[in-house]
């Protein structure tokens, strides 16, 4: 269901999801060049139209040809009403991906003071187990049952279990609820990045990086709310702690759950999200894919004067009429001398493929694609271990370090957390600029920010005062926000659409598996020493070096 205020679009002459054709005398002559480029009035199109992140031959030929047709259609529709609405609601997923891990780290000191667990790191362990299962289930699942259902369900699950967690009577209960809300959180980025990228024209793929502003703002919102609630309504480090004087963390998780619930309701009630055209095409639903393209164009109020038509393949171009049609996609089967099977046997085969590793194997179909998948998974894995090994325990580390420096009150701890969070916002914005710099692009921005994150982390070990520690942590958060902004945007760009959910799931799974190791290391390594910090810093440095070996640079190229 969609509210008129959201679903309405600018006036258009388009009726019944079709485009209005121009008069014959206004249609310019089109020619197909031998290189496969399509020109109109002898003027070349933007390079981004015919340039894809993955080189030709990396994918199934029928799928690749059809994906290029749909890419051109989305490119010609351009960035409009529908995509900007999607940009807003997808931002909720980005925000929740950071919000809830921050919630876990912020409530940790209060939880420890009240329940006195034998191992405080078990709370972070429960979170990472939930994130791992969620990333696997939602990431792999959205390539099977589609993006739409998962897009809404992830936020709903997070909101419900987040609010229920406030009633936890003991440490085991809060650990279970943390794992359950993390199951929903784990699916946000694999699903949301896939569905957003698949509606983005190639000229606007940098918005995947800009989306991380929501990721950084979520940290600011969480710490801003935590400062009065956790700073004033929870037990101090050195006092006997009872439930009655430690209610702040309960009010805090209820508030965070309420925010996620509002975001879920906006998505579910106020916005109609369409299934990805390339996902539908990959499932053999060409008619439905074309219908979605037409509907997005209608929402945007667009009738394209120069819509790309026909099948673009390595062999030839088939020029057609003004409107992308089912025939355009079917032409791809002719151009590749292959037919997309749609009979009952083929349908059964597609069902059985859901039970094997078809989508995983597709990401290793060529040596270059397989090398890229392996490296990006490794980078995600190392960062997945390095970041929570330090950041998940940051408020706790600030508390014990502050006690050493003589200013370890909960008020100062959460005030400093807010300052650190606020510094991350300009970092994300800078990341959006860096990825557009020619010959620097995604890989340069990612490598530099990851290495600098490790450098600032090592700097924290030299702090001799609370203010010095705050300064180093601000540098760490600034660079890590650039790093995550670029990483979240770059990763889905280098996976083909039909396997993008699986690719996102693989990287997220690597991230979460290594993330599980962080609290285990914390259990056996004393958090009051610098050992976890040195380990975390080394992992960031190594991950930054690995980025240089990634074979694909997606700057200025459309994703298949």
């Amino acid at each position: 269901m969609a509210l008129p205020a959201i679903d309405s679009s600018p006036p258009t002459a388009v009726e019944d999801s079709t485009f209005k054709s121009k008069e014959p005398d206004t249609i310019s002559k089109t020619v197909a060049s031998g290189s496969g480029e399509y020109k109109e009035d002898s003027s070349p199109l933007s390079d981004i139209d015919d340039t894809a992140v993955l080189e030709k031959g990396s994918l199934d030929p029928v799928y690749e040809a059809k994906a290029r047709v749909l890419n051109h259609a989305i490119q010609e529709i351009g960035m409009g009403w529908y995509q900007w609405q999607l940009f807003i609601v997808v931002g909720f997923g980005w925000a929740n991906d950071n919000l809830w891990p921050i919630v876990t780290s912020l409530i940790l000191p209060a939880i420890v003071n009240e329940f006195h667990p034998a191992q405080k790191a078990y709370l972070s362990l429960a979170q990472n187990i939930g994130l791992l299962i969620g990333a696997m289930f939602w990431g792999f699942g959205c390539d099977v049952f589609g993006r739409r259902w998962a897009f809404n369900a992830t936020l709903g699950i997070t909101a419900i279990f987040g609010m229920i967690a406030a009633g936890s009577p003991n440490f085991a209960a809060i650990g279970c609820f943390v794992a359950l809300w993390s199951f929903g959180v784990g699916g946000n980025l694999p699903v949301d990045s896939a569905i957003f990228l698949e509606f983005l024209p190639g000229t606007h793929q940098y918005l995947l990086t800009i989306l991380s502003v929501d990721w950084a703002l979520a940290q600011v919102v969480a710490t801003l709310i935590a400062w009065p609630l956790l700073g004033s309504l929870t037990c101090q480090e050195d006092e006997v702690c009872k439930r009655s004087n430690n209610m702040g963390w309960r009010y805090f998780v209820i508030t965070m759950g309420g925010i996620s619930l509002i975001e879920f309701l906006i998505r579910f009630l106020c916005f109609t999200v369409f299934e990805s055209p390339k996902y539908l095409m990959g499932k053999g639903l060409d008619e439905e894919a074309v219908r979605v393209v037409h509907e997005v164009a209608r929402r945007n109020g667009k009738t394209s004067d120069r819509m790309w038509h026909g099948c673009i393949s390595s062999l030839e171009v088939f020029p057609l009429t003004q409107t992308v049609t089912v025939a355009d996609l079917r032409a791809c089967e002719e151009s590749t001398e292959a037919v997309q099977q749609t009979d009952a046997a083929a349908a059964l085969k597609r069902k059985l493929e859901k039970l094997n590793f078809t989508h995983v194997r597709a990401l290793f179909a060529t040596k270059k694609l397989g090398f890229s998948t392996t490296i990006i998974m490794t980078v995600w894995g190392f960062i997945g271990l390095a970041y929570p090994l330090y950041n998940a325990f940051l408020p706790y580390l600030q508390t014990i370090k502050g006690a050493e420096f003589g200013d370890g009150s909960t008020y100062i701890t959460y005030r400093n957390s807010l300052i650190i969070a606020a510094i991350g916002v300009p970092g994300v914005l800078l990341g959006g600029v860096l990825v557009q710099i020619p010959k620097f692009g995604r890989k340069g921005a990612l490598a530099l920010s990851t290495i600098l994150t490790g450098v600032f982390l090592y700097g924290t070990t030299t702090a001799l005062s609370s203010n010095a520690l705050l300064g180093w942590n601000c540098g760490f958060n600034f660079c890590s926000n650039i790093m995550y902004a670029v990483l979240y945007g770059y990763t889905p760009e280098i996976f083909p659409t039909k396997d993008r959910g699986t690719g996102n799931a693989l990287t997220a799974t690597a991230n979460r598996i290594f993330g599980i190791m962080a609290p285990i290391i914390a259990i056996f390594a004393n958090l009051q020493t610098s050992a976890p910090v040195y380990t975390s810093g080394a992992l960031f440095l190594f991950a930054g070096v690995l980025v240089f070996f990634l074979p694909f640079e997606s700057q200025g190229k459309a994703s298949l």
Side-chain angles (χ1 to χ4, degrees):
M1 183 173 73
L3 299 182
I6 300 294
D7 232 14
S8 61
S9 54
T12 175
V14 181
E15 298 292 341
D16 298 325
S17 301
T18 60
F19 296 109
K20 180 181 178 181
S21 301
K22 293 187 66 178
E23 294 299 321
D25 59 356
T26 65
I27 301 176
S28 301
K29 183 180 180 180
T30 60
V31 295
S33 68
S35 63
E37 292 182 348
Y38 205 97
K39 299 182 180 180
E40 185 175 77
D41 292 335
S42 301
S43 61
L45 288 172
S46 167
D47 288 341
I48 203 167
D49 280 347
D50 279 333
T51 307
V53 175
L54 304 181
E55 55 196 18
K56 290 184 178 181
S58 298
L59 307 173
D60 168 73
V62 175
Y63 170 83
E64 181 177 339
K66 290 183 178 182
R68 291 179 184 274
V69 172
L70 294 173
N71 271 349
H72 289 305
I74 294 295
Q75 183 71 26
E76 288 297 326
I77 291 172
M79 190 72 184
W81 185 249
Y82 179 77
Q83 283 93 343
W84 286 117
Q85 290 180 354
L86 191 60
F87 177 78
I88 294 172
V89 295
V90 165
F92 298 159
W94 251 256
N96 277 265
D97 183 76
N98 195 28
L99 180 73
W100 286 96
I102 290 295
V103 167
T104 305
S105 67
L106 289 172
I107 65 175
L108 180 60
I111 296 293
V112 171
N113 288 339
E114 181 175 342
F115 297 129
H116 304 290
Q119 290 291 348
K120 60 184 72 69
Y122 283 158
L123 193 67
S124 180
L125 180 61
Q127 170 189 272
N128 282 284
I129 290 174
L131 290 171
L132 169 63
I133 297 174
M136 294 177 65
F137 177 80
W138 299 110
F140 289 110
C142 76
D143 276 343
V144 176
F145 49 70
R147 279 75 156 136
R148 292 182 62 188
W149 183 77
F151 186 68
N152 290 318
T154 50
L155 277 184
I157 291 172
T158 303
I160 291 171
F161 287 112
M163 291 187 289
I164 293 175
S168 301
N170 52 47
F171 186 75
I174 184 62
C176 289
F177 288 123
V178 166
L180 288 169
W181 84 46
S182 296
F183 172 73
V185 173
N188 280 315
L189 285 182
V191 176
D192 292 14
S193 62
I195 203 165
F196 185 52
L197 181 60
E198 289 155 23
F199 282 103
L200 269 184
T203 53
H204 285 74
Q205 286 183 190
Y206 68 90
L207 288 176
L208 276 170
T209 301
I210 300 298
L211 265 174
S212 290
V213 169
D214 295 294
W215 198 82
L217 287 175
Q219 187 176 2
V220 175
V221 170
T223 51
L224 184 61
I225 296 173
W227 187 10
L229 291 180
L230 299 179
S232 304
L233 300 176
T234 55
C235 302
Q236 297 295 320
E237 183 72 18
D238 55 354
E239 69 175 277
V240 176
C241 189
K242 297 180 181 179
R243 179 185 175 116
S244 58
N245 60 351
N246 200 42
M247 293 296 292
W249 74 265
R250 291 180 166 84
Y251 299 147
F252 179 60
V253 294
I254 290 174
T255 304
M256 296 298 101
I259 291 174
S260 293
L261 181 61
I262 291 172
E263 292 170 337
F264 165 75
L265 292 174
I266 291 174
R267 271 192 182 183
F268 189 72
L269 299 177
C270 302
F271 182 75
T272 300
V273 62
F274 298 118
E275 189 58 85
S276 157
K278 281 182 274 188
Y279 167 82
L280 293 169
M281 175 270 293
K283 294 294 182 182
L285 304 174
D286 290 355
E287 294 86 351
E288 188 67 14
V290 169
R291 187 195 68 79
V292 169
V293 171
H294 288 186
E295 182 60 21
V296 171
R298 186 193 68 81
R299 292 282 188 91
N300 288 359
K302 291 291 184 71
T303 55
S304 177
D305 292 339
R306 193 179 67 180
M307 178 70 71
W308 273 79
H309 310 292
C311 182
I312 291 85
S313 71
S314 59
L315 300 177
E316 55 185 322
V317 175
F318 295 87
L320 295 175
T321 57
Q322 260 82 16
T323 308
V324 63
T325 65
V326 175
D328 296 6
L329 299 183
R330 297 286 165 78
C332 299
E333 297 176 2
E334 299 173 8
S335 69
T336 56
E337 299 182 354
V339 178
Q340 195 165 8
Q341 300 296 325
T342 57
D343 57 18
L348 177 60
K349 180 181 179 182
R350 283 196 295 272
K351 292 290 184 182
L352 293 176
E353 284 177 347
K354 297 174 183 179
L355 303 178
N356 63 27
F357 295 96
T358 300
H359 290 290
V360 176
R361 288 199 299 269
L363 297 175
F364 296 86
T366 65
K367 289 183 178 180
K368 194 171 184 179
L369 184 56
F371 182 72
S372 175
T373 302
T374 301
I375 293 295
I376 197 66
M377 285 178 62
T378 305
V379 169
W380 271 94
F382 285 159
I383 292 175
L385 173 57
Y387 190 77
L389 187 58
Y390 181 72
N391 200 65
F393 303 101
L394 184 55
Y396 178 75
L397 292 170
Q398 285 180 305
T399 300
I400 60 175
K401 287 289 185 182
E404 292 178 11
F405 299 142
D407 52 2
S409 70
T410 55
Y411 181 85
I412 292 177
T413 295
Y414 293 110
R415 182 207 65 183
N416 288 353
S417 293
L418 175 59
I419 294 171
I420 294 168
I423 292 295
V425 177
V428 172
L429 297 176
L430 179 60
V433 174
L434 292 176
V435 297
Q436 295 297 97
I437 297 177
K439 298 183 180 180
F440 188 68
R442 272 72 159 165
K443 288 172 59 178
L446 181 56
L448 178 63
S449 59
T450 305
I451 291 172
L452 286 177
T453 299
V455 170
F456 277 107
L457 195 53
Y458 276 129
T460 63
T461 63
T462 68
L464 299 177
S465 68
S466 184
N467 287 336
L469 180 62
L470 175 61
W472 286 113
N473 280 327
C474 285
F476 163 78
N477 202 47
F478 180 80
C479 293
S480 66
N481 272 272
I482 299 175
M483 174 191 72
Y484 271 116
V486 180
L487 187 62
Y488 283 144
Y490 174 75
T491 300
E493 289 178 338
I494 61 174
F495 294 130
T497 297
K498 68 185 181 67
D499 309 304
R500 182 166 293 132
T502 299
N504 288 342
L506 287 175
T507 55
T509 298
N511 183 264
R512 304 312 186 187
I513 289 176
F514 277 75
I516 288 176
M517 296 167 59
I520 296 175
I521 291 173
I523 290 172
F524 294 100
N526 190 347
L527 286 176
Q528 300 188 31
T529 70
S530 298
V533 178
Y534 286 127
T535 304
S536 180
L539 289 167
F540 278 122
L541 294 175
F542 191 51
V545 172
L546 279 179
V547 171
F548 290 113
F549 293 94
L550 286 164
F552 300 118
E553 171 55 66
S554 57
Q555 184 190 58
K557 300 175 183 178
S559 297
L560 291 176

